[in-house]
mmCIF file of all heavy atoms in Angstrom:
data_model
loop_
_atom_site.group_PDB
_atom_site.id
_atom_site.type_symbol
_atom_site.label_atom_id
_atom_site.label_comp_id
_atom_site.label_asym_id
_atom_site.label_seq_id
_atom_site.Cartn_x
_atom_site.Cartn_y
_atom_site.Cartn_z
ATOM 1 N N LEU Q 885 -40.505 -36.952 45.276
ATOM 2 C CA LEU Q 885 -40.637 -36.117 46.508
ATOM 3 C C LEU Q 885 -39.275 -36.124 47.179
ATOM 4 O O LEU Q 885 -38.882 -35.153 47.638
ATOM 5 C CB LEU Q 885 -41.820 -36.471 47.281
ATOM 6 C CG LEU Q 885 -43.218 -36.000 46.737
ATOM 7 C CD1 LEU Q 885 -44.238 -36.603 47.589
ATOM 8 C CD2 LEU Q 885 -43.247 -34.504 46.858
ATOM 9 N N LYS Q 886 -38.829 -37.460 47.368
ATOM 10 C CA LYS Q 886 -37.612 -37.674 48.111
ATOM 11 C C LYS Q 886 -36.370 -36.958 47.465
ATOM 12 O O LYS Q 886 -35.605 -36.274 48.088
ATOM 13 C CB LYS Q 886 -37.251 -39.143 48.226
ATOM 14 C CG LYS Q 886 -36.052 -39.443 49.143
ATOM 15 C CD LYS Q 886 -36.330 -38.996 50.553
ATOM 16 C CE LYS Q 886 -35.171 -39.351 51.442
ATOM 17 N NZ LYS Q 886 -35.350 -38.853 52.827
ATOM 18 N N GLN Q 887 -36.397 -36.968 46.203
ATOM 19 C CA GLN Q 887 -35.338 -36.293 45.410
ATOM 20 C C GLN Q 887 -35.346 -34.767 45.643
ATOM 21 O O GLN Q 887 -34.420 -34.103 45.820
ATOM 22 C CB GLN Q 887 -35.397 -36.597 43.925
ATOM 23 C CG GLN Q 887 -34.297 -36.150 42.970
ATOM 24 C CD GLN Q 887 -34.646 -34.853 42.386
ATOM 25 O OE1 GLN Q 887 -35.746 -34.456 42.390
ATOM 26 N NE2 GLN Q 887 -33.689 -34.123 41.993
ATOM 27 N N ARG Q 888 -36.584 -34.216 45.528
ATOM 28 C CA ARG Q 888 -36.832 -32.825 45.709
ATOM 29 C C ARG Q 888 -36.439 -32.433 47.180
ATOM 30 O O ARG Q 888 -35.766 -31.381 47.342
ATOM 31 C CB ARG Q 888 -38.208 -32.453 45.432
ATOM 32 C CG ARG Q 888 -38.550 -32.339 43.959
ATOM 33 C CD ARG Q 888 -40.050 -32.050 43.731
ATOM 34 N NE ARG Q 888 -40.446 -30.641 44.238
ATOM 35 C CZ ARG Q 888 -40.088 -29.592 43.581
ATOM 36 N NH1 ARG Q 888 -39.572 -29.673 42.422
ATOM 37 N NH2 ARG Q 888 -40.467 -28.531 44.052
ATOM 38 N N ILE Q 889 -36.788 -33.110 48.167
ATOM 39 C CA ILE Q 889 -36.498 -32.981 49.494
ATOM 40 C C ILE Q 889 -35.051 -32.798 49.730
ATOM 41 O O ILE Q 889 -34.571 -31.957 50.455
ATOM 42 C CB ILE Q 889 -37.202 -34.000 50.437
ATOM 43 C CG1 ILE Q 889 -38.697 -33.769 50.541
ATOM 44 C CG2 ILE Q 889 -36.594 -33.852 51.908
ATOM 45 C CD1 ILE Q 889 -39.492 -34.937 51.029
ATOM 46 N N ASN Q 890 -34.360 -33.800 49.135
ATOM 47 C CA ASN Q 890 -32.794 -33.812 49.362
ATOM 48 C C ASN Q 890 -32.214 -32.682 48.683
ATOM 49 O O ASN Q 890 -31.223 -32.017 49.256
ATOM 50 C CB ASN Q 890 -32.266 -35.201 48.632
ATOM 51 C CG ASN Q 890 -32.700 -36.415 49.434
ATOM 52 O OD1 ASN Q 890 -32.836 -36.299 50.663
ATOM 53 N ND2 ASN Q 890 -32.574 -37.552 48.719
ATOM 54 N N VAL Q 891 -32.693 -32.282 47.515
ATOM 55 C CA VAL Q 891 -32.158 -31.031 46.877
ATOM 56 C C VAL Q 891 -32.353 -29.819 47.705
ATOM 57 O O VAL Q 891 -31.553 -28.982 47.923
ATOM 58 C CB VAL Q 891 -32.818 -30.840 45.419
ATOM 59 C CG1 VAL Q 891 -32.431 -29.549 44.874
ATOM 60 C CG2 VAL Q 891 -32.277 -31.898 44.588
ATOM 61 N N PHE Q 892 -33.546 -29.598 48.251
ATOM 62 C CA PHE Q 892 -33.928 -28.347 49.031
ATOM 63 C C PHE Q 892 -33.131 -28.354 50.201
ATOM 64 O O PHE Q 892 -32.687 -27.365 50.679
ATOM 65 C CB PHE Q 892 -35.363 -28.392 49.267
ATOM 66 C CG PHE Q 892 -36.341 -28.120 48.047
ATOM 67 C CD1 PHE Q 892 -37.669 -28.680 48.038
ATOM 68 C CD2 PHE Q 892 -35.880 -27.345 47.012
ATOM 69 C CE1 PHE Q 892 -38.320 -28.390 46.914
ATOM 70 C CE2 PHE Q 892 -36.589 -27.038 45.962
ATOM 71 C CZ PHE Q 892 -37.854 -27.571 45.899
ATOM 72 N N GLU Q 893 -32.972 -29.551 50.927
ATOM 73 C CA GLU Q 893 -32.188 -29.655 52.248
ATOM 74 C C GLU Q 893 -30.762 -29.232 52.077
ATOM 75 O O GLU Q 893 -30.218 -28.468 52.776
ATOM 76 C CB GLU Q 893 -32.524 -31.014 52.868
ATOM 77 C CG GLU Q 893 -33.858 -31.147 53.422
ATOM 78 C CD GLU Q 893 -34.008 -32.555 54.099
ATOM 79 O OE1 GLU Q 893 -33.223 -33.472 53.777
ATOM 80 O OE2 GLU Q 893 -34.843 -32.634 54.999
ATOM 81 N N ARG Q 894 -30.227 -29.800 50.875
ATOM 82 C CA ARG Q 894 -28.781 -29.426 50.674
ATOM 83 C C ARG Q 894 -28.619 -27.926 50.322
ATOM 84 O O ARG Q 894 -27.657 -27.243 50.798
ATOM 85 C CB ARG Q 894 -28.224 -30.323 49.499
ATOM 86 C CG ARG Q 894 -28.020 -31.693 49.850
ATOM 87 C CD ARG Q 894 -27.128 -32.434 48.802
ATOM 88 N NE ARG Q 894 -27.720 -32.391 47.440
ATOM 89 C CZ ARG Q 894 -28.596 -33.311 47.034
ATOM 90 N NH1 ARG Q 894 -28.873 -34.363 47.785
ATOM 91 N NH2 ARG Q 894 -28.997 -33.231 45.754
ATOM 92 N N LEU Q 895 -29.535 -27.406 49.509
ATOM 93 C CA LEU Q 895 -29.496 -26.017 49.200
ATOM 94 C C LEU Q 895 -29.543 -25.117 50.351
ATOM 95 O O LEU Q 895 -28.759 -24.187 50.593
ATOM 96 C CB LEU Q 895 -30.583 -25.630 48.206
ATOM 97 C CG LEU Q 895 -30.719 -24.167 47.792
ATOM 98 C CD1 LEU Q 895 -29.390 -23.702 47.140
ATOM 99 C CD2 LEU Q 895 -31.856 -24.009 46.770
ATOM 100 N N LEU Q 896 -30.581 -25.410 51.247
ATOM 101 C CA LEU Q 896 -30.779 -24.558 52.385
ATOM 102 C C LEU Q 896 -29.592 -24.624 53.367
ATOM 103 O O LEU Q 896 -29.252 -23.645 54.104
ATOM 104 C CB LEU Q 896 -32.062 -24.971 53.053
ATOM 105 C CG LEU Q 896 -33.386 -24.598 52.362
ATOM 106 C CD1 LEU Q 896 -34.586 -25.187 53.119
ATOM 107 C CD2 LEU Q 896 -33.493 -23.096 52.225
ATOM 108 N N LYS Q 897 -29.059 -25.784 53.291
ATOM 109 C CA LYS Q 897 -27.928 -26.043 54.374
ATOM 110 C C LYS Q 897 -26.593 -25.196 53.787
ATOM 111 O O LYS Q 897 -25.847 -24.723 54.731
ATOM 112 C CB LYS Q 897 -27.595 -27.507 54.509
ATOM 113 C CG LYS Q 897 -26.343 -27.791 55.393
ATOM 114 C CD LYS Q 897 -26.164 -29.368 55.456
ATOM 115 C CE LYS Q 897 -24.934 -29.621 56.430
ATOM 116 N NZ LYS Q 897 -24.581 -31.092 56.396
ATOM 117 N N ASN Q 898 -26.409 -25.167 52.599
ATOM 118 C CA ASN Q 898 -25.216 -24.525 52.011
ATOM 119 C C ASN Q 898 -25.530 -23.206 51.493
ATOM 120 O O ASN Q 898 -24.392 -22.512 51.083
ATOM 121 C CB ASN Q 898 -24.640 -25.471 50.926
ATOM 122 C CG ASN Q 898 -24.200 -26.844 51.454
ATOM 123 O OD1 ASN Q 898 -23.508 -26.971 52.345
ATOM 124 N ND2 ASN Q 898 -24.741 -27.904 50.727
ATOM 125 N N ASP Q 899 -26.646 -22.746 51.515
ATOM 126 C CA ASP Q 899 -26.996 -21.438 50.866
ATOM 127 C C ASP Q 899 -26.468 -20.202 51.825
ATOM 128 O O ASP Q 899 -26.660 -20.191 53.000
ATOM 129 C CB ASP Q 899 -28.415 -21.200 50.858
ATOM 130 C CG ASP Q 899 -28.841 -19.957 50.038
ATOM 131 O OD1 ASP Q 899 -28.038 -19.457 49.169
ATOM 132 O OD2 ASP Q 899 -29.882 -19.408 50.311
ATOM 133 N N THR Q 900 -25.615 -19.320 51.200
ATOM 134 C CA THR Q 900 -25.215 -18.192 51.765
ATOM 135 C C THR Q 900 -25.637 -16.971 51.049
ATOM 136 O O THR Q 900 -25.405 -16.861 49.897
ATOM 137 C CB THR Q 900 -23.552 -18.112 51.886
ATOM 138 O OG1 THR Q 900 -23.142 -19.348 52.582
ATOM 139 C CG2 THR Q 900 -23.091 -16.926 52.630
ATOM 140 N N LEU Q 901 -26.394 -16.084 51.635
ATOM 141 C CA LEU Q 901 -26.978 -14.963 51.033
ATOM 142 C C LEU Q 901 -25.801 -13.947 50.614
ATOM 143 O O LEU Q 901 -24.931 -13.647 51.465
ATOM 144 C CB LEU Q 901 -27.991 -14.225 51.892
ATOM 145 C CG LEU Q 901 -29.176 -15.134 52.425
ATOM 146 C CD1 LEU Q 901 -30.067 -14.266 53.076
ATOM 147 C CD2 LEU Q 901 -29.782 -15.706 51.166
ATOM 148 N N TYR Q 902 -25.861 -13.455 49.471
ATOM 149 C CA TYR Q 902 -24.990 -12.469 48.949
ATOM 150 C C TYR Q 902 -25.424 -11.052 49.416
ATOM 151 O O TYR Q 902 -26.372 -10.510 48.870
ATOM 152 C CB TYR Q 902 -24.757 -12.480 47.443
ATOM 153 C CG TYR Q 902 -23.854 -11.398 46.884
ATOM 154 C CD1 TYR Q 902 -22.543 -11.436 47.061
ATOM 155 C CD2 TYR Q 902 -24.448 -10.265 46.360
ATOM 156 C CE1 TYR Q 902 -21.714 -10.339 46.751
ATOM 157 C CE2 TYR Q 902 -23.638 -9.274 45.790
ATOM 158 C CZ TYR Q 902 -22.343 -9.349 46.053
ATOM 159 O OH TYR Q 902 -21.464 -8.235 45.574
ATOM 160 N N ASP Q 903 -24.704 -10.443 50.413
ATOM 161 C CA ASP Q 903 -25.038 -9.286 51.001
ATOM 162 C C ASP Q 903 -23.911 -8.213 50.996
ATOM 163 O O ASP Q 903 -22.991 -8.314 51.854
ATOM 164 C CB ASP Q 903 -25.605 -9.370 52.344
ATOM 165 C CG ASP Q 903 -26.006 -8.107 53.069
ATOM 166 O OD1 ASP Q 903 -25.952 -7.064 52.356
ATOM 167 O OD2 ASP Q 903 -26.439 -8.143 54.197
ATOM 168 N N PRO Q 904 -23.808 -7.385 50.062
ATOM 169 C CA PRO Q 904 -22.628 -6.410 49.938
ATOM 170 C C PRO Q 904 -22.376 -5.568 51.284
ATOM 171 O O PRO Q 904 -21.351 -5.395 51.744
ATOM 172 C CB PRO Q 904 -23.021 -5.502 48.817
ATOM 173 C CG PRO Q 904 -23.917 -6.186 47.992
ATOM 174 C CD PRO Q 904 -24.723 -7.125 48.866
ATOM 175 N N LYS Q 905 -23.517 -5.226 51.993
ATOM 176 C CA LYS Q 905 -23.336 -4.530 53.241
ATOM 177 C C LYS Q 905 -22.746 -5.374 54.277
ATOM 178 O O LYS Q 905 -21.926 -4.958 55.133
ATOM 179 C CB LYS Q 905 -24.731 -3.964 53.634
ATOM 180 C CG LYS Q 905 -25.376 -2.945 52.743
ATOM 181 C CD LYS Q 905 -24.368 -1.825 52.664
ATOM 182 C CE LYS Q 905 -25.012 -0.664 51.608
ATOM 183 N NZ LYS Q 905 -24.073 0.477 51.505
ATOM 184 N N ALA Q 906 -23.188 -6.748 54.352
ATOM 185 C CA ALA Q 906 -22.582 -7.581 55.294
ATOM 186 C C ALA Q 906 -21.062 -7.812 55.049
ATOM 187 O O ALA Q 906 -20.247 -7.962 56.000
ATOM 188 C CB ALA Q 906 -23.332 -8.949 55.379
ATOM 189 N N ILE Q 907 -20.773 -7.915 53.817
ATOM 190 C CA ILE Q 907 -19.385 -8.055 53.376
ATOM 191 C C ILE Q 907 -18.523 -6.939 53.754
ATOM 192 O O ILE Q 907 -17.445 -7.077 54.384
ATOM 193 C CB ILE Q 907 -19.205 -8.300 51.788
ATOM 194 C CG1 ILE Q 907 -19.939 -9.507 51.504
ATOM 195 C CG2 ILE Q 907 -17.823 -8.153 51.458
ATOM 196 C CD1 ILE Q 907 -19.954 -9.720 49.923
ATOM 197 N N GLU Q 908 -19.062 -5.706 53.719
ATOM 198 C CA GLU Q 908 -18.373 -4.441 54.071
ATOM 199 C C GLU Q 908 -18.128 -4.457 55.467
ATOM 200 O O GLU Q 908 -17.084 -3.979 56.067
ATOM 201 C CB GLU Q 908 -19.173 -3.171 53.631
ATOM 202 C CG GLU Q 908 -18.432 -1.899 53.808
ATOM 203 C CD GLU Q 908 -19.108 -0.695 53.439
ATOM 204 O OE1 GLU Q 908 -20.471 -0.782 53.406
ATOM 205 O OE2 GLU Q 908 -18.530 0.187 52.899
ATOM 206 N N ARG Q 909 -19.133 -4.876 56.275
ATOM 207 C CA ARG Q 909 -18.827 -4.768 57.775
ATOM 208 C C ARG Q 909 -17.804 -5.781 58.310
ATOM 209 O O ARG Q 909 -17.223 -5.589 59.266
ATOM 210 C CB ARG Q 909 -20.327 -5.176 58.506
ATOM 211 C CG ARG Q 909 -21.380 -4.154 58.264
ATOM 212 C CD ARG Q 909 -22.473 -4.472 59.247
ATOM 213 N NE ARG Q 909 -23.251 -5.656 58.880
ATOM 214 C CZ ARG Q 909 -24.297 -5.677 58.065
ATOM 215 N NH1 ARG Q 909 -24.670 -4.611 57.496
ATOM 216 N NH2 ARG Q 909 -24.918 -6.854 57.771
ATOM 217 N N GLU Q 910 -17.516 -6.785 57.422
ATOM 218 C CA GLU Q 910 -16.436 -7.732 57.817
ATOM 219 C C GLU Q 910 -15.127 -7.331 57.441
ATOM 220 O O GLU Q 910 -14.108 -7.949 57.842
ATOM 221 C CB GLU Q 910 -16.841 -9.201 57.162
ATOM 222 C CG GLU Q 910 -18.139 -9.776 57.690
ATOM 223 C CD GLU Q 910 -18.447 -11.149 57.005
ATOM 224 O OE1 GLU Q 910 -17.638 -11.405 56.018
ATOM 225 O OE2 GLU Q 910 -19.476 -11.688 57.385
ATOM 226 N N LEU Q 911 -14.995 -6.293 56.627
ATOM 227 C CA LEU Q 911 -13.698 -5.911 56.105
ATOM 228 C C LEU Q 911 -13.078 -4.937 57.101
ATOM 229 O O LEU Q 911 -13.773 -4.245 57.952
ATOM 230 C CB LEU Q 911 -13.931 -5.176 54.751
ATOM 231 C CG LEU Q 911 -14.491 -5.919 53.571
ATOM 232 C CD1 LEU Q 911 -14.661 -5.012 52.419
ATOM 233 C CD2 LEU Q 911 -13.443 -6.912 53.235
ATOM 234 N N PRO Q 912 -11.709 -4.864 57.148
ATOM 235 C CA PRO Q 912 -11.126 -3.855 57.960
ATOM 236 C C PRO Q 912 -11.586 -2.399 57.560
ATOM 237 O O PRO Q 912 -12.037 -2.205 56.553
ATOM 238 C CB PRO Q 912 -9.552 -3.956 57.618
ATOM 239 C CG PRO Q 912 -9.565 -5.433 57.090
ATOM 240 C CD PRO Q 912 -10.854 -5.696 56.417
ATOM 241 N N LYS Q 913 -11.471 -1.494 58.467
ATOM 242 C CA LYS Q 913 -12.001 -0.159 58.365
ATOM 243 C C LYS Q 913 -11.448 0.535 57.021
ATOM 244 O O LYS Q 913 -12.131 1.243 56.374
ATOM 245 C CB LYS Q 913 -11.670 0.694 59.533
ATOM 246 C CG LYS Q 913 -12.453 0.344 60.765
ATOM 247 C CD LYS Q 913 -12.004 1.148 62.107
ATOM 248 C CE LYS Q 913 -12.862 0.836 63.227
ATOM 249 N NZ LYS Q 913 -12.508 1.674 64.353
ATOM 250 N N GLN Q 914 -10.152 0.335 56.799
ATOM 251 C CA GLN Q 914 -9.582 0.951 55.691
ATOM 252 C C GLN Q 914 -10.295 0.571 54.262
ATOM 253 O O GLN Q 914 -10.019 1.156 53.265
ATOM 254 C CB GLN Q 914 -8.085 0.801 55.560
ATOM 255 C CG GLN Q 914 -7.586 -0.707 55.442
ATOM 256 C CD GLN Q 914 -7.437 -1.404 56.724
ATOM 257 O OE1 GLN Q 914 -8.026 -1.021 57.765
ATOM 258 N NE2 GLN Q 914 -6.489 -2.293 56.752
ATOM 259 N N TYR Q 915 -11.021 -0.465 54.294
ATOM 260 C CA TYR Q 915 -11.577 -0.965 53.033
ATOM 261 C C TYR Q 915 -13.138 -0.523 53.004
ATOM 262 O O TYR Q 915 -13.717 -0.741 51.965
ATOM 263 C CB TYR Q 915 -11.618 -2.511 52.903
ATOM 264 C CG TYR Q 915 -10.112 -2.920 52.610
ATOM 265 C CD1 TYR Q 915 -9.369 -3.506 53.648
ATOM 266 C CD2 TYR Q 915 -9.536 -2.843 51.361
ATOM 267 C CE1 TYR Q 915 -8.023 -3.856 53.413
ATOM 268 C CE2 TYR Q 915 -8.206 -3.372 51.064
ATOM 269 C CZ TYR Q 915 -7.541 -3.997 52.158
ATOM 270 O OH TYR Q 915 -6.212 -4.340 51.895
ATOM 271 N N ARG Q 916 -13.610 0.030 53.950
ATOM 272 C CA ARG Q 916 -15.124 0.264 53.942
ATOM 273 C C ARG Q 916 -15.314 1.659 53.243
ATOM 274 O O ARG Q 916 -14.392 2.506 53.059
ATOM 275 C CB ARG Q 916 -15.585 0.341 55.419
ATOM 276 C CG ARG Q 916 -15.465 -0.901 56.175
ATOM 277 C CD ARG Q 916 -15.930 -0.855 57.614
ATOM 278 N NE ARG Q 916 -15.570 -1.944 58.327
ATOM 279 C CZ ARG Q 916 -15.626 -2.114 59.606
ATOM 280 N NH1 ARG Q 916 -16.210 -1.071 60.394
ATOM 281 N NH2 ARG Q 916 -15.328 -3.194 60.291
ATOM 282 N N GLY Q 917 -16.678 1.847 53.061
ATOM 283 C CA GLY Q 917 -17.177 3.138 52.389
ATOM 284 C C GLY Q 917 -16.841 3.258 50.962
ATOM 285 O O GLY Q 917 -16.733 4.338 50.342
ATOM 286 N N LEU Q 918 -16.892 2.115 50.146
ATOM 287 C CA LEU Q 918 -16.819 2.070 48.841
ATOM 288 C C LEU Q 918 -17.945 2.706 48.145
ATOM 289 O O LEU Q 918 -19.083 2.424 48.331
ATOM 290 C CB LEU Q 918 -16.584 0.666 48.299
ATOM 291 C CG LEU Q 918 -16.313 0.546 46.756
ATOM 292 C CD1 LEU Q 918 -14.992 0.988 46.370
ATOM 293 C CD2 LEU Q 918 -16.295 -1.021 46.480
ATOM 294 N N LYS Q 919 -17.764 3.717 47.313
ATOM 295 C CA LYS Q 919 -18.839 4.397 46.617
ATOM 296 C C LYS Q 919 -18.698 4.340 45.211
ATOM 297 O O LYS Q 919 -17.598 4.237 44.628
ATOM 298 C CB LYS Q 919 -18.878 5.918 47.126
ATOM 299 C CG LYS Q 919 -18.980 6.179 48.652
ATOM 300 C CD LYS Q 919 -20.395 5.655 49.078
ATOM 301 C CE LYS Q 919 -20.470 5.867 50.698
ATOM 302 N NZ LYS Q 919 -21.826 5.435 51.078
ATOM 303 N N GLY Q 920 -19.768 4.566 44.465
ATOM 304 C CA GLY Q 920 -19.776 4.606 42.970
ATOM 305 C C GLY Q 920 -19.500 3.335 42.312
ATOM 306 O O GLY Q 920 -19.185 3.346 41.130
ATOM 307 N N VAL Q 921 -19.619 2.265 42.944
ATOM 308 C CA VAL Q 921 -19.436 0.914 42.365
ATOM 309 C C VAL Q 921 -20.543 0.139 42.638
ATOM 310 O O VAL Q 921 -21.096 -0.096 43.749
ATOM 311 C CB VAL Q 921 -18.119 0.289 42.898
ATOM 312 C CG1 VAL Q 921 -17.955 -1.125 42.364
ATOM 313 C CG2 VAL Q 921 -16.816 1.086 42.729
ATOM 314 N N ASP Q 922 -21.146 -0.419 41.570
ATOM 315 C CA ASP Q 922 -22.350 -1.210 41.623
ATOM 316 C C ASP Q 922 -21.884 -2.681 41.980
ATOM 317 O O ASP Q 922 -21.451 -3.535 41.100
ATOM 318 C CB ASP Q 922 -23.107 -1.207 40.255
ATOM 319 C CG ASP Q 922 -24.517 -1.966 40.412
ATOM 320 O OD1 ASP Q 922 -24.855 -2.298 41.498
ATOM 321 O OD2 ASP Q 922 -25.219 -1.991 39.296
ATOM 322 N N ILE Q 923 -22.126 -2.989 43.229
ATOM 323 C CA ILE Q 923 -21.762 -4.401 43.575
ATOM 324 C C ILE Q 923 -22.928 -5.226 44.016
ATOM 325 O O ILE Q 923 -22.952 -6.297 44.683
ATOM 326 C CB ILE Q 923 -20.662 -4.401 44.771
ATOM 327 C CG1 ILE Q 923 -21.332 -3.536 45.900
ATOM 328 C CG2 ILE Q 923 -19.394 -3.783 44.350
ATOM 329 C CD1 ILE Q 923 -20.559 -3.480 47.199
ATOM 330 N N PHE Q 924 -24.199 -4.651 43.556
ATOM 331 C CA PHE Q 924 -25.421 -5.436 43.936
ATOM 332 C C PHE Q 924 -25.802 -6.268 42.814
ATOM 333 O O PHE Q 924 -25.321 -6.156 41.655
ATOM 334 C CB PHE Q 924 -26.570 -4.420 44.115
ATOM 335 C CG PHE Q 924 -26.500 -3.773 45.498
ATOM 336 C CD1 PHE Q 924 -25.612 -2.609 45.690
ATOM 337 C CD2 PHE Q 924 -27.236 -4.305 46.592
ATOM 338 C CE1 PHE Q 924 -25.595 -2.018 46.956
ATOM 339 C CE2 PHE Q 924 -27.123 -3.644 47.798
ATOM 340 C CZ PHE Q 924 -26.276 -2.504 47.962
ATOM 341 N N LEU Q 925 -26.450 -7.467 43.042
ATOM 342 C CA LEU Q 925 -26.938 -8.288 42.010
ATOM 343 C C LEU Q 925 -27.828 -7.480 41.004
ATOM 344 O O LEU Q 925 -28.591 -6.634 41.382
ATOM 345 C CB LEU Q 925 -27.720 -9.444 42.572
ATOM 346 C CG LEU Q 925 -26.799 -10.589 43.249
ATOM 347 C CD1 LEU Q 925 -27.837 -11.558 44.019
ATOM 348 C CD2 LEU Q 925 -26.007 -11.318 42.282
ATOM 349 N N GLU Q 926 -27.865 -7.978 39.712
ATOM 350 C CA GLU Q 926 -28.605 -7.249 38.635
ATOM 351 C C GLU Q 926 -30.083 -7.436 39.105
ATOM 352 O O GLU Q 926 -30.558 -8.378 39.452
ATOM 353 C CB GLU Q 926 -28.474 -8.097 37.335
ATOM 354 C CG GLU Q 926 -29.226 -7.530 36.198
ATOM 355 C CD GLU Q 926 -29.000 -8.217 34.953
ATOM 356 O OE1 GLU Q 926 -28.208 -9.133 34.825
ATOM 357 O OE2 GLU Q 926 -29.686 -7.910 33.913
ATOM 358 N N GLY Q 927 -30.806 -6.262 38.924
ATOM 359 C CA GLY Q 927 -32.088 -6.144 39.292
ATOM 360 C C GLY Q 927 -32.414 -5.740 40.768
ATOM 361 O O GLY Q 927 -33.629 -5.379 41.025
ATOM 362 N N ASP Q 928 -31.427 -5.906 41.573
ATOM 363 C CA ASP Q 928 -31.663 -5.505 42.974
ATOM 364 C C ASP Q 928 -31.409 -3.990 43.141
ATOM 365 O O ASP Q 928 -30.622 -3.424 42.421
ATOM 366 C CB ASP Q 928 -30.580 -6.147 43.887
ATOM 367 C CG ASP Q 928 -30.923 -7.584 44.202
ATOM 368 O OD1 ASP Q 928 -31.972 -8.145 43.624
ATOM 369 O OD2 ASP Q 928 -30.140 -8.273 44.869
ATOM 370 N N ILE Q 929 -32.247 -3.344 44.008
ATOM 371 C CA ILE Q 929 -32.201 -1.961 44.186
ATOM 372 C C ILE Q 929 -31.468 -1.731 45.453
ATOM 373 O O ILE Q 929 -31.873 -2.262 46.473
ATOM 374 C CB ILE Q 929 -33.612 -1.334 44.104
ATOM 375 C CG1 ILE Q 929 -34.240 -1.395 42.686
ATOM 376 C CG2 ILE Q 929 -33.514 0.201 44.597
ATOM 377 C CD1 ILE Q 929 -35.683 -0.896 42.707
ATOM 378 N N ASN Q 930 -30.486 -0.798 45.464
ATOM 379 C CA ASN Q 930 -29.910 -0.396 46.681
ATOM 380 C C ASN Q 930 -30.840 0.574 47.384
ATOM 381 O O ASN Q 930 -31.092 1.603 47.026
ATOM 382 C CB ASN Q 930 -28.621 0.308 46.304
ATOM 383 C CG ASN Q 930 -27.759 0.747 47.531
ATOM 384 O OD1 ASN Q 930 -28.283 0.885 48.616
ATOM 385 N ND2 ASN Q 930 -26.460 0.715 47.432
ATOM 386 N N VAL Q 931 -31.415 0.097 48.485
ATOM 387 C CA VAL Q 931 -32.427 0.784 49.225
ATOM 388 C C VAL Q 931 -31.897 2.227 49.764
ATOM 389 O O VAL Q 931 -32.652 3.266 49.552
ATOM 390 C CB VAL Q 931 -32.887 0.059 50.476
ATOM 391 C CG1 VAL Q 931 -33.920 0.811 51.342
ATOM 392 C CG2 VAL Q 931 -33.540 -1.293 49.937
#
């Protein structure tokens, strides 16, 4: 249990969600609005 707890705590502390839309918001304006490129994780549906 202690080993699992340590693994989960490290994962949650260092986990960064991959969000293409959030990435786009952080880019300068000239880089935004990319169309026709699949940058989502496999199996994820672009809502």
